[in-house]
Amino acid sequence: MLSWQRTAFHFQPQKNWMNDPNGPVFYKGWYHLFYQYNPNGAIWGDIVWGHAVSKDLIHWYHLPLAMVADQWYDIMGVWTGSATILSDGKLMMLYTGSTNESVQVQNLAYPADPSDPLLIKWVKYPGNPVLVPPPGIGAKDFRDPTTAWLTSEGKWRIAIGSRINRTGITFVYDTKDFINYELLRGVLHGVPNTGMWECVDFYPVSTTGEHGLDTSHNGPGVKHVVKASMDDDRHDYYAIGTYHEKNVTWVPDNPEIDVGIGIRYDYGLFYASKTFYDQNKKRRVLWGWIGESDSEIADVKKGWASLQGIPRTVALDTKTGSNLLQWPVEEVDSLRLTSKEFEKIELKPGSVMPLDVGSATQLDIVAEFELDKAALEKTAESNVEFSCSSSEGSAERGALGPFGLLVLADDSLSEQTPVYFYIAKGKDGSLKTYFCTDQSRSSEANDVNKSKYGSFVPVLEGEKFSMRVLVDHSIVEGFAQGGRTTITSRVYPTKAIYGAARVFLFNNATGASVTSSLKAWQMNSAFIRPYPDDDDER
Ligand code: DQQ
């Protein structure tokens, strides 16, 4: 069952299928991750809640299933939900059940023993379901309740994703007790032509700093983020805007960068994500489900499918004000082992340079790049129509790019995953920077996705081009400019594995040299294993 594609420091169950992260919460000293899980196979189906706990979001103990499909109101699936910590410390879990007739209803569950920090046993409220689809809404279009937040009147408010025809929407309900709910007039937000909104998330971000805010926090110096997972194109889109508590609406700052039509958390594989406020470290943490991009047959053969991405802190980018910053939680740094540093390496146009970093399947790389200024100035207009996904990938040569890293490459470069920048220059001299990952040569296998990913990344005056890349066997997570744009890919090399995996720097620009400085760390494996019976092993 184990294969070399299994990761060493990403959360995955021991076997079978996983999808959305559910109910993440910090409770009595432990981080809890619940997740959509199929105990019977490596494809989606028979969904129940898996459960694991961690002290640091990196090392995990698997616990018994938290909730199984054993009631008429969730017999077809214990679907996605969110946790809310009440003012007195009590924990409420709202989740979607798919009923015996496949109707999507919302159910309440709570810990059987609130004094148990591991939250092993869960009780489903005997009066479930607590919410059914509102009149006129499709029985299969009403799911994934958010974490609740407090209104100024002291009621709890939740949002639930849905759609009316092709308009993705989110309903809002108020409740005092998590049992009785009032459906509020209108919707929190809706966007035409975006289809069903899954796994809606709603949270405040500070406009003055990168610290996280409790989900109920509101007032001056706060913006609110709405995120929805688009069932149509399977991507997570967010937008930043203003929440009007009294009118129960949220308005995007820029209607052109609205939910579902604007920016994404990640331009690769990243879906059904959910944040929680970590009161332990006063930060907001984002989890995202990273599926496979090989074939279903391959998943069945290897006996497992899906990872959770490295949890990310998420905060408003106060420098641009128009995007979030996502960054691997600081705890991942504790896995760093030996490092190699490279200072001011000059890469001439069309060059590739091997980096001797030792074994290269588990890495954390931080790299900076500077373009030759004279060449930059000399270049007239270049690649104004560029797009990562429709380009020829890292083979598409322009005057000012691509340049970056080749990871999970073999010596002969027959397999390689380039993670890179590409600079376009407009007639007026303005620069536009793209951050891309090219999977087209990532594997010699032919049953895997080989598309090119990426998007625009803001680079401000005086900033160097910078990226951080986490490599873990079959996952590559790229963060550009401190996390303004991110790309996660699953790649399945056949040769660039174990000791044969290498890293290279490259510059495929035609008109400019690039200088790079970087540091690469070998990464330790994390302990991700069953909760030990024996005290000494914990
Ligand atoms: N996954 C769950 C649903 C959710 C979807 C079912 C998103 O609740 O809408 O496994 O991946």
Side-chain angles (χ1 to χ4, degrees):
M1 192 265 298
L2 280 182
S3 83
W4 55 265
Q5 291 158 351
R6 265 186 91 80
T7 58
F9 58 90
H10 282 76
F11 179 79
Q12 21 181 171
Q14 289 177 296
K15 58 179 181 176
N16 294 331
W17 166 273
M18 168 174 70
N19 55 298
D20 318 355
N22 291 158
V25 70
F26 181 77
Y27 188 80
K28 294 192 189 297
W30 289 93
Y31 291 100
H32 290 258
L33 175 68
F34 305 87
Y35 53 90
Q36 296 280 282
Y37 182 60
N38 179 356
N40 305 318
I43 56 173
W44 187 87
D46 300 341
I47 294 291
V48 299
W49 275 35
H51 185 193
V53 289
S54 169
K55 286 280 181 189
D56 63 0
L57 292 166
I58 299 294
H59 304 282
W60 292 92
Y61 290 127
H62 296 296
L63 289 175
L65 298 177
M67 290 195 278
V68 296
D70 56 3
Q71 304 293 324
W72 70 267
Y73 53 76
D74 62 13
I75 198 80
M76 299 297 283
V78 188
W79 287 2
T80 280
S82 306
T84 303
I85 301 178
L86 306 190
S87 317
D88 60 3
K90 278 200 191 108
L91 196 55
M92 293 288 168
M93 198 66 90
L94 285 173
Y95 72 93
T96 299
S98 181
T99 72
N100 50 357
E101 293 177 348
S102 290
V103 177
Q104 292 169 9
V105 299
Q106 316 312 323
N107 302 312
L108 173 64
Y110 31 77
D113 174 9
S115 70
D116 169 19
L118 297 179
L119 297 172
I120 305 264
K121 288 219 157 61
W122 288 80
V123 178
K124 295 177 185 173
Y125 169 60
N128 278 338
V130 293
L131 280 172
V132 298
I137 290 301
K140 295 185 177 174
D141 295 327
F142 182 60
R143 57 185 181 273
D144 311 333
T146 61
T147 293
W149 65 96
L150 275 173
T151 67
S152 45
E153 281 182 320
K155 290 182 186 165
W156 289 101
R157 188 165 276 183
I158 58 164
I160 300 177
S162 185
R163 73 180 171 105
I164 295 176
N165 300 320
R166 295 275 311 128
T167 300
I169 58 168
T170 158
F171 286 116
V172 192
Y173 294 83
D174 278 357
T175 180
K176 286 185 184 151
D177 53 10
F178 286 76
I179 292 170
N180 302 293
Y181 294 79
E182 180 194 353
L183 173 61
L184 303 182
R185 280 187 53 187
V187 293
L188 183 70
H189 194 54
V191 180
N193 281 317
T194 53
M196 175 67 195
W197 285 12
E198 298 188 315
C199 303
V200 168
D201 201 2
F202 179 71
Y203 56 90
V205 285
S206 166
T207 57
T208 56
E210 284 180 18
H211 56 284
L213 298 175
D214 181 275
T215 310
S216 295
H217 190 101
N218 200 1
V222 169
K223 291 256 176 198
H224 276 82
V225 174
V226 171
K227 184 271 333 192
S229 304
M230 300 295 147
D231 199 12
D232 270 20
D233 76 359
R234 312 298 288 171
H235 296 305
D236 279 16
Y237 289 81
Y238 73 87
I240 299 160
T242 305
Y243 166 53
H244 300 282
E245 191 204 291
K246 290 282 168 305
N247 311 340
V248 199
T249 56
W250 169 93
V251 179
D253 285 351
N254 178 351
E256 280 169 24
I257 313 182
D258 205 342
V259 184
I261 59 170
I263 24 186
R264 282 163 49 181
Y265 273 150
D266 191 291
Y267 287 86
L269 266 189
F270 189 95
Y271 195 65
S273 65
K274 189 178 292 303
T275 64
F276 74 104
Y277 176 63
D278 171 12
Q279 70 276 25
N280 181 37
K281 289 205 162 183
K282 311 229 173 322
R283 61 186 169 179
R284 185 158 287 273
V285 176
L286 168 68
W287 280 102
W289 162 41
I290 318 298
E292 302 294 315
S293 61
D294 60 355
S295 65
E296 203 166 273
I297 292 172
D299 295 345
V300 170
K301 213 152 129 197
K302 64 186 198 263
W304 57 270
S306 302
L307 318 171
Q308 300 294 334
I310 290 294
R312 305 171 175 186
T313 53
V314 59
L316 183 69
D317 183 353
T318 51
K319 287 191 186 137
T320 64
S322 54
N323 57 271
L324 298 172
L325 290 175
Q326 302 167 65
W327 200 244
V329 293
E330 61 188 11
E331 288 89 337
V332 78
D333 299 4
S334 70
L335 295 175
R336 287 173 170 175
L337 299 168
T338 54
S339 64
K340 283 261 174 82
E341 225 170 324
F342 303 85
E343 288 273 353
K344 294 213 176 340
I345 298 188
E346 200 195 330
L347 300 157
K348 293 255 183 296
S351 61
V352 178
M353 180 172 293
L355 293 175
D356 178 18
V357 301
S359 167
T361 46
Q362 296 175 212
L363 290 178
D364 185 353
I365 309 170
V366 175
E368 279 184 352
F369 301 86
E370 275 177 285
L371 266 177
D372 167 20
K373 281 214 175 60
L376 187 58
E377 275 158 26
K378 230 174 50 208
T379 304
E381 190 190 21
S382 166
N383 310 100
V384 274
E385 300 292 317
F386 185 78
S387 126
C388 298
S389 50
S390 61
S391 71
E392 293 298 314
S394 65
E396 179 158 329
R397 303 188 68 181
L400 305 173
F403 56 87
L405 293 164
L406 309 177
V407 300
L408 293 173
D410 67 332
D411 274 325
S412 71
L413 294 178
S414 61
E415 288 185 330
Q416 52 171 289
T417 299
V419 184
Y420 57 95
F421 291 107
Y422 197 103
I423 322 293
K425 187 170 180 184
K427 262 202 183 78
D428 58 357
S430 63
L431 299 182
K432 188 162 182 186
T433 305
Y434 295 86
F435 182 54
C436 320
T437 297
D438 176 0
Q439 303 180 122
S440 55
R441 278 157 295 160
S442 60
S443 173
E444 293 203 342
N446 50 26
D447 63 340
V448 305
N449 180 309
K450 294 191 178 173
S451 55
K452 294 131 201 157
Y453 293 141
S455 185
F456 160 72
V457 58
V459 180
L460 306 185
E461 190 68 38
E463 286 182 353
K464 291 180 185 164
F465 303 101
S466 67
M467 66 168 82
R468 179 168 179 190
V469 181
L470 295 173
V471 177
D472 188 6
H473 296 267
S474 63
I475 181 169
V476 176
E477 288 157 293
F479 303 82
Q481 303 305 123
R484 289 192 185 123
T485 298
T486 78
I487 307 172
T488 300
S489 28
R490 297 298 311 284
V491 290
Y492 307 90
T494 59
K495 293 176 169 172
I497 59 175
Y498 301 120
R502 306 269 179 273
V503 184
F504 297 80
L505 274 171
F506 80 101
N507 174 18
N508 221 4
T510 53
S513 291
V514 170
T515 310
S516 176
S517 295
L518 72 90
K519 192 164 180 182
W521 289 263
Q522 295 280 338
M523 293 294 270
N524 208 345
S525 302
F527 291 115
I528 301 173
R529 55 186 177 190
Y531 192 79
D533 295 329
D534 185 348
D535 272 358
D536 299 341
E537 287 178 47
R538 274 174 222 158

